[in-house]
């Protein structure tokens, strides 16, 4: 700690002197005088030589008592404004680290050349010594930064684990989760949905390390593997059925790509994280990794399927997964290597002649950033038009535009119809009441 305080004092002292000093554009050691020049011993620089002053002078050593005392009072006056504790140490260490890098960069560019240094050694020797000293300081600061970052990670981990907070009631939190979603879960199934296999393995290992007999004190918990598999099968089947009915012209590869996107790790873990499943999921690691969040969310779908039936589970999947398509283009989800070849196949199925590409517009052809617009014509009618930096790119984009039109998955398509399931429920209620 004393070493850090001393280093911080030297860095701030050096920074203050370096920023406040004002230097002229040129300096002369002495006026030109032939007699004076004759008295200079051989090997010393010419006393009347005009020196070019660098843009910035970095003071590496102590100055007079007046400057030191003034700097000390300024530091004392601003001490109350600085943060305290680990935050102050972290920020000051980073600031000192950056200052050392700045000083090293200045030494490399300009060097510390002055008249006094020539009496003790050459400028190259001084630069080497300063660089070596700064490297040692950088190594020390790097180690300190690594320790601080590790401490911050551990502190954040301790602060974020909700189950370790006082007055934590897991059963009440499970009930609150069910009410927040406005779904009728079986609490036992919902609790099972949050138990991951890695948690059971870590608990069994911890008991073995503590010497607890597994037969005497059995861990009566079941993992969520079965619920997750049932939830994944239902979600994929439901989404495939809905997209096939909503986009009947979309081929099976396109529907499969959309279903894989919505049930993939990235999208499902994003939804699970926004539902705060990481606070309830029982797993070995914290924060819960994406694959654990995905499995937990799918297990929640499986628990809802066994608790409330397929209709309520379908609405749950629709409300949380299908909105993830907002702002997503079809060919961002479905990667088509040869869009022109796919377009020719689709047009052949519809007994339409092959498209003919034609340049409709172009701009900046002789520059480094040209733009071409290629139109696709079928039977002398414009089918689609697309831009691109090259003719090939513009032709492929025009083919993608034509495919979006054929599949009915354009940017200005109608929003997803969320009213059909509600109308079906209303019709069932009306029939049952009558």
């Amino acid at each position: 700690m004393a070493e850090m305080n001393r280093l911080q004092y030297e860095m701030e002292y050096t920074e203050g002197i370096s920023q406040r000093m004002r230097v002229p554009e040129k300096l002369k050691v002495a006026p030109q005088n032939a007699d004076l020049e004759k008295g200079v011993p051989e090997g010393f620089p010419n006393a009347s030589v005009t020196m070019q002053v660098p843009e910035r002078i970095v003071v590496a050593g102590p100055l007079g008592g007046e400057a030191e005392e003034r700097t000390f009072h300024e530091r004392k006056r601003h001490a109350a404004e600085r943060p305290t504790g680990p935050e102050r140490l972290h920020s000051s260490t980073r600031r000192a680290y950056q200052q050392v890098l700045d000083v090293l960069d200045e030494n490399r560019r300009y060097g510390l050349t002055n008249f006094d240094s020539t009496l003790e050694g050459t400028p190259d020797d001084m630069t080497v010594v300063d660089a070596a000293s700064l490297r040692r300081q950088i190594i020390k600061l790097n180690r300190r930064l690594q320790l601080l970052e590790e401490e911050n990670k551990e502190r954040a981990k301790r602060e974020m684990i909700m189950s370790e907070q006082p007055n934590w009631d897991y059963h009440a939190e499970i009930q609150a989760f069910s009410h927040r979603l406005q779904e009728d879960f079986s609490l036992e199934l919902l609790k099972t949905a949050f138990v991951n296999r890695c948690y059971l393995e870590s608990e069994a290992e911890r008991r073995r390390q503590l010497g607890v007999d597994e037969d005497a004190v059995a861990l009566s918990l079941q993992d969520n593997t079965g619920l997750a598999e049932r939830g994944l099968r239902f979600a994929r089947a439901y989404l495939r059925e809905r997209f096939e009915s909503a986009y009947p012209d979309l081929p099976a590869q396109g529907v499969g790509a959309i279903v894989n996107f919505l049930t993939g790790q990235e999208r499902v873990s994003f939804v699970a994280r926004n539902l705060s499943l990481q606070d309830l999921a029982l797993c070995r690691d914290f924060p819960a990794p994406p694959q654990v969040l995905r499995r937990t969310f799918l297990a929640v779908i499986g628990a809802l399927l066994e608790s409330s039936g397929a209709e309520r589970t379908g609405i749950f999947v629709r409300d949380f997964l299908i909105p993830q398509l907002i702002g997503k283009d079809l060919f961002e989800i479905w990667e088509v290597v040869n869009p022109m070849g796919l377009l020719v196949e689709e047009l052949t199925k519809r007994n339409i002649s092959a498209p003919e590409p034609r340049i409709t517009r172009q701009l900046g052809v002789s520059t480094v950033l040209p733009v071409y617009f290629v139109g696709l014509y079928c039977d002398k009618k414009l089918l689609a038009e697309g831009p691109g930096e090259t003719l090939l790119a513009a032709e492929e984009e025009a083919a993608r535009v034509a495919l979006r039109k054929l599949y009915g998955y354009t940017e200005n398509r109608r929003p997803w119809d969320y009213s059909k399931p509600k109308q079906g429920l209303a019709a069932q209620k009306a029939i049952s009441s009558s």
Side-chain angles (χ1 to χ4, degrees), residues 313-381:
T313 309
I315 296 174
F316 181 86
V317 172
R318 179 203 66 184
D319 291 346
F320 285 106
L321 293 184
I322 292 181
Q324 302 304 312
L325 291 175
I326 295 175
K328 300 293 183 181
D329 182 68
L330 174 62
F331 295 105
E332 292 179 3
I333 302 170
W334 179 23
E335 184 178 358
V336 178
V337 180
N338 185 12
M340 181 59 73
L342 181 60
L343 177 61
V344 172
E345 293 179 5
E346 293 294 336
L347 294 177
T348 303
K349 293 178 183 178
R350 294 167 173 78
N351 296 324
I352 301 176
S353 60
E356 298 180 2
R358 294 287 184 270
I359 298 178
T360 57
R361 288 174 288 171
Q362 59 184 10
L363 181 65
V365 179
S366 59
T367 65
V368 295
L369 293 175
V371 177
Y372 300 94
F373 283 83
V374 173
L376 299 179
Y377 290 84
C378 292
D379 298 331
K380 299 181 180 181
K381 294 181 180 180

Side-chain angles (χ1 to χ4, degrees), residues 162-163 167-196 221 224 227 275-282 296 299-300 303 307:
M162 298 297 295
S163 59
N167 301 324
W168 172 263
D169 190 343
Y170 189 73
H171 181 77
E173 291 293 336
I174 292 291
Q175 286 183 321
F177 177 81
S178 176
H179 287 293
R180 280 200 307 271
L181 297 181
Q182 297 182 0
E183 299 290 349
D184 187 14
F185 284 97
S186 169
L187 291 182
E188 294 302 323
L189 288 174
L190 189 56
K191 286 182 179 180
T192 304
F194 287 108
V195 179
N196 291 274
L221 290 176
N224 58 5
L227 290 175
L275 291 176
S276 298
L277 263 67
Q278 68 273 12
D279 294 332
L280 299 175
L282 300 178
T296 305
V300 170
S307 301

